[in-house]
Amino acid sequence: MSHKLELISFKLCPFVQRAVIVLKQKQVDFDITYIDLNNPPEWFKEISPLGQVPVLKVGDDVLFESSVIQEYVDEITPPSLQPSDPLLKAKNRAWISFGSDILFAMHALITTKDEAVLEEKQALIQQKLGQLEAQHSGGSYFNGEEFNMIDAAYAPMLMRLCFVKNLTGLDLLENCPKLSRWSEVLLAMPCVQQSVVEDLMLMYKGMIKKMDGLLAASLG
Ligand SMILES: N[C@@H](CCC(=O)N[C@@H](CS)C(=O)NCC(=O)O)C(=O)O
């Protein structure tokens, strides 16, 4: 690798975390630069086409979109974390995208001030988790006994579901035994534990409090 990679991050962002997990699992030496998304610096606005993190700087080039960054890092550091079967790889990509929708619904769930929206988002998340449960292999990882890209992509969501349970008592995985076990396996992995700042759960709690939605009232 000719350039040291630089990842532009926001500490609370689950999409950045997806990229960090792959970088850590592949033992890539990279720099991480944190920005405040509420007050982004000028240089960030210039390089980020969507004004979003993650952004990966590769020399003078810039990559955006977490799944693209994950795949680029994977491709330059063989062996690949993707399944070799093209059909399974394509299915995994589709389910990774499905997971992004769950993350957006979770953000709405923890911030909304509207009771009807809260109920709607909770039902939506549980429905989507049920669909995911039906796709899961039932093994330690999504596809079986091998850690793949899809596991790296879902770990940030599983971590936040665990935060929500610990902080508010709301267990969105209660009817999903395969996902619950998957969560335990992934959250114990060093590449996942080292992918976030140490006090992320407290920061997450602080964000729920600050947004002052309905779920803030359930915080311990
Ligand atoms: N599809 C993007 C989503 C990234 C995303 O939503 N990032 C959020 C932070 S978690 C962001 O930068 N939000 C700022 C904005 O949208 O203005 C990806 O997978 O990278």
Side-chain angles (χ1 to χ4, degrees):
M1 205 181 305
S2 51
H3 303 284
K4 188 169 184 192
L5 302 176
E6 180 184 357
L7 187 69
I8 315 303
S9 171
F10 174 61
K11 288 179 184 166
L12 280 160
C13 179
F15 298 97
V16 175
Q17 193 187 348
R18 286 177 164 181
V20 178
I21 292 169
V22 177
L23 287 158
K24 293 277 179 192
Q25 179 68 9
K26 295 285 192 117
Q27 299 185 344
V28 175
D29 183 24
F30 66 103
D31 288 324
I32 189 157
T33 301
Y34 295 106
I35 61 159
D36 178 3
L37 261 187
N38 301 310
N39 186 19
E42 249 349 278
W43 60 262
F44 174 73
K45 292 187 210 160
E46 277 160 27
I47 65 164
S48 173
L50 297 171
Q52 293 185 330
V53 288
V55 163
L56 185 71
K57 285 172 75 178
V58 187
D60 292 333
D61 289 302
V62 160
L63 291 178
F64 60 104
E65 280 299 313
S66 56
S67 57
V68 173
I69 294 172
Q70 283 191 302
E71 291 194 6
Y72 171 71
V73 172
D74 186 51
E75 278 181 26
I76 60 170
T77 54
S80 176
L81 287 176
Q82 295 277 27
S84 51
D85 172 45
L87 181 60
L88 183 58
K89 193 197 296 190
K91 283 171 69 180
N92 279 189
R93 281 197 180 112
W95 285 98
I96 288 173
S97 170
F98 184 87
S100 300
D101 283 358
I102 305 180
L103 281 169
F104 290 124
M106 281 185 70
H107 188 72
L109 177 88
I110 62 170
T111 56
T112 186
K113 296 177 195 291
D114 182 326
E115 188 73 49
V117 174
L118 183 78
E119 279 171 26
E120 179 208 315
K121 294 298 170 189
Q122 184 173 334
L124 180 71
I125 293 166
Q126 281 170 320
Q127 180 215 315
K128 286 185 182 297
L129 290 174
Q131 288 173 273
L132 192 64
E133 172 85 5
Q135 293 295 321
H136 195 284
S137 64
S140 302
Y141 303 105
F142 190 81
N143 293 323
E145 295 311 314
E146 195 177 285
F147 179 84
N148 286 147
M149 189 71 92
I150 191 164
D151 302 294
Y154 268 99
M157 179 200 83
L158 294 167
M159 186 179 274
R160 279 152 189 78
L161 287 171
C162 184
F163 290 167
V164 168
K165 181 179 168 192
N166 290 344
L167 293 168
T168 72
L170 176 61
D171 183 5
L172 292 160
L173 285 182
E174 68 181 344
N175 298 318
C176 304
K178 290 193 276 183
L179 302 188
S180 299
R181 170 148 182 267
W182 188 33
S183 177
E184 272 171 37
V185 171
L186 292 184
L187 299 194
M189 288 183 72
C191 66
V192 174
Q193 292 183 349
Q194 293 162 14
S195 64
V196 292
V197 291
E198 222 173 278
D199 55 350
L200 186 70
M201 189 164 90
L202 276 180
M203 287 183 74
Y204 194 74
K205 182 179 181 182
M207 183 197 38
I208 297 177
K209 230 181 203 158
K210 188 170 156 212
M211 300 307 282
D212 196 27
L214 291 166
L215 225 59
S218 327
L219 291 174

Coordinates of all heavy atoms in Angstrom, one line a residue, residues 13-15 18 37 50-54 65-67 104, ligand 1:
C13 N -20.8 7.6 14.7 CA -21.4 7.1 13.5 C -21.2 5.6 13.3 O -20.1 5.1 13.2 CB -20.8 7.8 12.3 SG -21.4 7.3 10.7
P14 N -22.3 4.8 13.1 CA -22.2 3.4 12.9 C -21.7 3.0 11.5 O -21.1 2.0 11.3 CB -23.7 2.9 13.0 CG -24.5 4.1 12.7 CD -23.7 5.3 13.2
F15 N -21.8 4.0 10.5 CA -21.3 3.7 9.2 C -19.8 3.7 9.2 O -19.1 2.9 8.5 CB -21.9 4.6 8.2 CG -23.4 4.5 8.1 CD1 -24.3 5.3 8.8 CD2 -24.0 3.4 7.4 CE1 -25.7 5.2 8.8 CE2 -25.4 3.3 7.4 CZ -26.2 4.1 8.1
R18 N -18.3 0.6 10.6 CA -18.3 -0.6 9.7 C -16.9 -0.6 9.0 O -16.3 -1.7 8.9 CB -19.3 -0.4 8.6 CG -20.7 -0.7 9.0 CD -21.6 -0.4 7.8 NE -22.9 -1.0 8.0 CZ -23.9 -0.9 7.1 NH1 -23.7 -0.3 6.0 NH2 -25.1 -1.5 7.3
L37 N -19.8 16.5 13.4 CA -20.7 16.6 12.3 C -21.7 17.7 12.4 O -22.3 18.2 11.4 CB -21.5 15.3 12.2 CG -21.1 14.3 11.1 CD1 -22.1 13.1 11.1 CD2 -20.8 14.9 9.7
L50 N -21.2 14.1 -0.2 CA -22.5 14.1 0.4 C -22.6 14.8 1.8 O -23.6 14.9 2.4 CB -23.1 12.7 0.6 CG -23.3 11.9 -0.7 CD1 -23.6 10.5 -0.4 CD2 -24.4 12.5 -1.6
G51 N -21.4 15.3 2.2 CA -21.3 16.0 3.5 C -21.5 14.9 4.6 O -21.8 15.2 5.7
Q52 N -21.2 13.7 4.3 CA -21.3 12.6 5.2 C -20.0 11.9 5.5 O -19.1 11.9 4.7 CB -22.3 11.5 4.7 CG -23.7 12.0 4.5 CD -24.6 10.9 4.1 OE1 -24.2 10.0 3.4 NE2 -25.9 11.0 4.4
V53 N -19.9 11.3 6.7 CA -18.9 10.4 7.1 C -19.4 9.0 6.9 O -20.7 8.8 7.0 CB -18.3 10.6 8.5 CG1 -17.5 11.9 8.6 CG2 -19.4 10.5 9.5
P54 N -18.6 7.9 6.6 CA -17.2 8.0 6.5 C -16.7 8.5 5.2 O -17.4 8.3 4.1 CB -16.8 6.5 6.7 CG -17.9 5.7 6.1 CD -19.1 6.6 6.5
E65 N -19.1 6.4 1.1 CA -20.0 5.3 1.3 C -19.3 4.1 2.0 O -18.4 3.5 1.5 CB -20.6 4.8 -0.1 CG -21.7 5.7 -0.6 CD -22.9 5.7 0.3 OE1 -23.3 4.6 0.8 OE2 -23.4 6.8 0.6
S66 N -19.9 3.8 3.1 CA -19.2 2.8 4.0 C -19.0 1.4 3.3 O -17.9 0.8 3.4 CB -20.0 2.6 5.3 OG -21.3 2.2 5.0
S67 N -20.0 1.0 2.5 CA -19.8 -0.3 1.9 C -18.7 -0.3 0.8 O -18.0 -1.3 0.6 CB -21.1 -0.8 1.3 OG -21.6 0.1 0.3
F104 N -31.1 3.6 10.2 CA -31.8 4.8 10.0 C -33.1 4.8 10.9 O -33.4 5.8 11.6 CB -32.1 5.1 8.6 CG -30.9 5.5 7.8 CD1 -30.6 4.8 6.6 CD2 -30.1 6.5 8.2 CE1 -29.4 5.1 5.9 CE2 -28.9 6.9 7.4 CZ -28.6 6.2 6.3
Ligands
LIG1 N1 -24.9 5.7 3.1 C1 -23.9 6.3 3.9 C2 -24.5 6.8 5.2 C3 -23.5 7.6 6.0 C4 -24.2 8.5 7.0 O1 -25.5 8.6 7.1 N2 -23.4 9.2 7.9 C5 -24.0 10.1 8.8 C6 -23.4 10.0 10.2 S1 -23.7 8.5 11.0 C7 -23.7 11.5 8.3 O2 -22.6 11.8 7.9 N3 -24.7 12.4 8.4 C8 -24.5 13.8 8.1 C9 -25.4 14.3 7.0 O3 -26.1 13.4 6.4 O4 -25.5 15.5 6.8 C10 -22.8 5.3 4.2 O5 -23.1 4.0 4.3 O6 -21.6 5.7 4.3

